Amino acid sequence: MNKNYYAIIMAGGIGSRFWPISRTSFPKQFIDILGTGKTLIQNTYDRFLKICPKENIYVVTNESYAELVKSQLPDMTDGQILTEPVMRNTAPCVAYGCFKIESMNPDAVIVVAPSDHLILDEAGFVKSIEQSLQTAQNNNCLITLGIKPSRPDTGYGYIQYTDEVIDGQFHKVKTFTEKPTLDIAKTFIQSGDFLWNAGIFVWSAKTIISNFGTHLPDMHEIFAEARSVYNTEDERNHINTAYQQCTNISIDYGIMEKAANVYVLPSEFGWSDLGTWASIYQLAEKDYVGNAVIPAEKVIMYDSSNCMVNVPDEKLVVLQGLHDYIVVESNNTLLICPRDQEQNVKQVVADVKQKFGTKYI
């Protein structure tokens, strides 16, 4: 296994679209949301064990989730769990992880990935990441993984690519487009040169740090100044101060959409970002009338179809005459809403917070 290969798992999100199961104090990456026996972050960690040494895997998360990471990934040392004092989107998260790794190994090649995605074809995923790491090691480029789209989905970002390639299969990126309308998404699919943006990145430490210097120079300066304190007892205090100075910006907008040397690897490995209850419904096992029930032990359904039901396993639930609904109960909260209106859940969470404070959030 290549000692220069590293992984950064981003695990700081609060997963509000999966409320009420996902809470601010216990977000979806720490939940076995598909009923597989492992949480999403545990599955993510296990995938990267096949790609790089376990001591080269880092998790960046909010400091309030550090104990959750330790309990779910007991093999990780404290030095591998990088805590953020405040949420500042993904660019500071990436900068922190990559500058810290670069301070230890200037020859590092790094994959950065979210903690809460589903990968059905792990062998295909490992192959794509290893190919990307090799190409990033040998070329001055920023690589993103693109998923061949199966439908005109409006919930994903899209990557348009050209015929210009390096290493035979990494295509030069032409444009990034965030969550288009349905008509535009259909046009993208028909054109044949668009991919879903999986939010998985691969680059050498040298290349990404150089691009921070070019496109986010203030952030580059903040984390470059910390080189002397990484892996010392002063690291946390320095980082806490650094984050207060950081712009709230994503790595996509801050660097990937601006850099000239971005390439995409068209990939197929059974990927889903598990961003909504609809994505869980699509993946879950269903009965003959389309009901997906997790867990199913004490749920009885009459004249009901195409429902997504997730309730405590000790609770008896009886549903009658319900079609195309989401029914979720957790943490003393019950949510019932039409499946085609689940995009309103974020607003519901905001309304609940305004009316009842953070007790139910």
Side-chain angles (χ1 to χ4, degrees):
M1 196 170 279
N2 193 321
K3 64 180 176 56
N4 289 332
Y5 287 176
Y6 290 77
I8 296 173
I9 300 171
M10 299 183 290
I14 59 174
S16 61
R17 284 178 294 182
F18 280 99
W19 182 85
I21 281 182
S22 179
R23 295 293 183 99
T24 302
S25 60
F26 206 98
K28 70 169 178 171
Q29 59 267 32
F30 303 108
I31 298 171
D32 178 12
I33 206 160
L34 288 168
T36 64
K38 285 189 176 181
T39 66
L40 297 177
I41 195 172
Q42 287 173 330
N43 283 321
T44 303
Y45 178 78
D46 288 349
R47 282 194 293 273
F48 285 121
L49 286 175
K50 300 172 183 175
I51 293 167
C52 58
K54 72 176 184 178
E55 62 270 18
N56 288 8
I57 302 175
Y58 289 80
V59 171
V60 185
T61 191
N62 190 281
E63 59 187 20
S64 61
Y65 303 145
E67 292 304 318
L68 279 173
V69 174
K70 288 180 189 178
S71 65
Q72 295 201 1
L73 304 176
D75 284 350
M76 297 200 82
T77 65
D78 288 351
Q80 291 170 272
I81 301 170
L82 313 187
T83 59
E84 301 179 289
V86 290
M87 294 180 70
R88 283 290 185 268
N89 216 314
T90 53
C93 161
V94 170
Y96 182 14
C98 291
F99 270 89
K100 180 181 170 90
I101 290 169
E102 183 261 355
S103 73
M104 296 181 287
N105 182 357
D107 296 321
V109 194
I110 305 163
V111 51
V112 180
S115 59
D116 54 1
H117 288 185
L118 174 72
I119 307 293
L120 294 174
D121 177 7
E122 291 209 346
F125 174 80
V126 170
K127 181 180 178 183
S128 291
I129 296 298
E130 288 181 337
Q131 289 173 332
S132 300
L133 287 164
Q134 289 167 10
T135 294
Q137 186 168 274
N138 297 327
N139 297 272
N140 175 27
C141 62
L142 304 171
I143 294 171
T144 183
L145 268 60
I147 306 300
K148 294 176 182 176
S150 57
R151 60 189 183 278
D153 199 303
T154 59
Y156 296 145
Y158 287 74
I159 301 168
Q160 184 181 25
Y161 61 93
T162 71
D163 292 333
E164 181 184 337
V165 297
I166 56 173
D167 287 0
Q169 52 193 332
F170 292 84
H171 290 257
K172 186 79 181 286
V173 170
K174 185 176 181 181
T175 61
F176 287 88
T177 303
E178 271 303 306
K179 298 180 181 177
T181 64
L182 183 59
D183 287 343
I184 292 174
K186 287 177 179 176
T187 303
F188 287 173
I189 302 299
Q190 290 164 1
S191 75
D193 59 355
F194 282 83
L195 302 164
W196 287 336
N197 186 352
I200 301 170
F201 309 105
V202 182
W203 40 53
S204 69
K206 290 186 180 79
T207 297
I208 187 60
I209 284 173
S210 170
N211 275 272
F212 268 101
T214 302
H215 303 291
L216 292 172
D218 292 345
M219 201 172 292
H220 178 282
E221 185 177 348
I222 288 167
F223 288 98
E225 283 178 354
R227 281 192 174 110
S228 61
V229 301
Y230 292 130
N231 303 301
T232 74
E233 60 185 17
D234 295 325
E235 177 177 336
R236 186 166 184 180
N237 285 337
H238 190 103
I239 292 300
N240 286 350
T241 302
Y243 262 74
Q244 305 301 330
Q245 303 166 25
C246 284
T247 308
N248 188 329
I249 191 170
S250 71
I251 193 70
D252 302 74
Y253 186 70
I255 290 180
M256 300 301 284
E257 294 182 17
K258 299 181 173 112
N261 55 338
V262 180
Y263 290 80
V264 63
L265 176 64
S267 307
E268 288 182 285
F269 40 71
W271 170 88
S272 171
D273 74 344
L274 298 182
T276 62
W277 281 114
S279 62
I280 299 292
Y281 176 80
Q282 287 170 354
L283 294 160
E285 189 175 326
K286 304 172 189 68
D287 65 17
Y288 70 101
V289 288
N291 293 315
V293 184
I294 308 172
E297 284 82 356
K298 294 183 180 178
V299 177
I300 303 173
M301 305 186 76
Y302 300 98
D303 183 30
S304 297
S305 64
N306 303 318
C307 290
M308 174 74 235
V309 183
N310 189 311
V311 293
D313 54 9
E314 73 277 2
K315 174 155 285 194
L316 172 63
V317 175
V318 181
L319 300 176
Q320 182 166 359
L322 212 57
H323 304 280
D324 299 292
Y325 265 75
I326 295 167
V327 180
V328 182
E329 182 180 355
S330 183
N331 302 303
N332 202 29
T333 303
L334 174 64
L335 172 72
I336 303 172
C337 77
R339 276 177 47 212
D340 63 0
Q341 294 179 35
E342 69 162 348
Q343 67 272 16
N344 296 332
V345 170
K346 282 188 119 175
Q347 183 59 49
V348 169
V349 172
D351 293 343
V352 169
K353 185 176 182 180
Q354 183 177 16
K355 191 166 186 178
F356 299 108
T358 58
K359 178 182 178 182
Y360 298 100
I361 305 301

